[in-house]
Amino acid sequence: MSTISRFWTPANIQDFSNNTTQQTAMDAQWNTNLNGFTQQGIAGNPWNATNSPVASNYFNPLTDPAASSSAYVQITWSAFPGRIAAYFPTLSSTQQLELGDTGYLSSSNAAGQTVYTPFGNIPQTPCTPVATEQVPYGPYGPRGWQDEYCEWSVYRDPATNKIIRIDFTCENPEYWNTLWMIDPDQVLALYQQTLGKPQIQLADLQLMGSNGQPVIDPSTGRPVYNPLNKWNSGPVSTDSYGGAMHLTSTPNTLQTEIGLAGAATVQRIQSCEPNVGSPQNDLICCAQYGQLHRNSDPNIGYQTNQTVSGGYSVSLANPPGLYIQTPNFSTFAVPEGQTANPADFWQVVRGSDSLVDEFGNTMPGNFILHAAYEVPAELGFTVGDMTIQGQPINWGGQIVQQILMQIVAMGYAAPVAAAIPCVGTPDVSYAQPAQLFHQAVFTGLYATGISGVDFPMSLVSNSTLIAPLVAQGAVNVPMVLVCATVALGASGQLPAVSFSDPAISVSVVSAMPVTYAVPGNTYPSEYTALNIVVSVGASASLGLQDVYVTNVGQTQQAPMPSLLNIVSAI
């Protein structure tokens, strides 16, 4: 048996196939990122939760030699947001489709004007039997409600409002941020090619500061990527803005998916709150991962948990990712008198229909990352002239309802850790490291508001947990460490911060409250941002570093894995 050679990029896509040097750099950075995400997914929560142990039945295929002998488990779910029907069951099917496409319901007022009404409120604590506190429906953001790891944008004919093209994406934001780290110009070229919009400019994709200049990322010395740039923001696509290049809903991240799978491997004695909808939802309430009533999280977690209970250790199969499956087009119809096959309008723009792993095994399902549905102009009709199950295609969601998503897990026979009770709240909480930034990046992201939503949001909610880069020998690097459950001392003393390598020194300068959705979370929460200054000795170990945060008067607890990446000095 042997381990995998490295984590492949999603669908093993090679976006620098014409440049070996850049592809090698991309592969190395991606492997580092996925190794870090995997370590974080295994870590559990020893800081502010009980019964949230290290996920001993989730394995890292980079270090576990059983990876090459693992069997595959295909897990699928519907791509259309399941929480819409769960929380608003009285809506008609058309209203659900409108919410799925736009995030609003349209109606006419007494004056004949069109009024747009967003989602209503839902229970703040849905796992509680009698939930009285309400919050606006989330996730927030310009496509936040499309939270099944599939997002889409619709291009309509400006004259007739008929659908011309729909873009569907399940590409994770971590991958696109990594591409940007290697070569922003290639990111621009891929945007233009994938969306069919040569008018996109590099400046459109950069994060701009309040001074009108690009925010510079010290990790690369180049402008910061804006994941909610004008060409990847919202459900509408036009010639001047919009499109669905990669996922933007805050829980739609690959790091989250790995963390969810890791948490789901822990066996539980009993459900947390019975009768919250299903065994799948009971397990979410018990283990406290994901969101109730999604098609994805409850299904993924439950199937992972059941696989482990059968006597297995599991991991996401290589290449880890979320993948679109080809729809069944048997209920699609073209206009009367036309003979074209509706399946021919489905274009796999990125990814592949099939994939063979590095050991020569054919993997289950499709590995589609980006697809488009569009009728060739020469046929003389549009998607909006077609029907599904006899109904005109007025909404992109009608096609999304025909799409399944998948992840592929792999598992091998192994002893299973004993079942434990549900996750709970400890008597004493410890400071929990959550996310680390270069100060300039955090400041630029946090100061940028997200438009097109009814709930105030900051762009930092669309950041990633890719570890920032700091070179050996760097001195006095300003950074921001975001933490949960920080408690200042009686005289305002700040927590202590340190890294796993003692050659890295840290000074904690100040603390400030911040509110945002740490990547993977559905809703914003309150955190403490510690302004720190980091110096890295020339002898510091290269690679990922763990971070410790210790409140005054408390003993040091486990670190958060892989929040900092030490690289060679140039």
Side-chain angles (χ1 to χ4, degrees), residues 414-435:
V416 181
I420 60 176
C422 296
V423 172
T425 302
D427 293 332
V428 176
S429 290
Y430 298 89
Q432 177 184 7
Q435 194 172 10

Side-chain angles (χ1 to χ4, degrees), residues 451-463:
S451 61
V453 295
D454 294 293
F455 191 92
M457 285 279 284
S458 165
L459 187 59
V460 74
S461 294
N462 285 97
S463 59

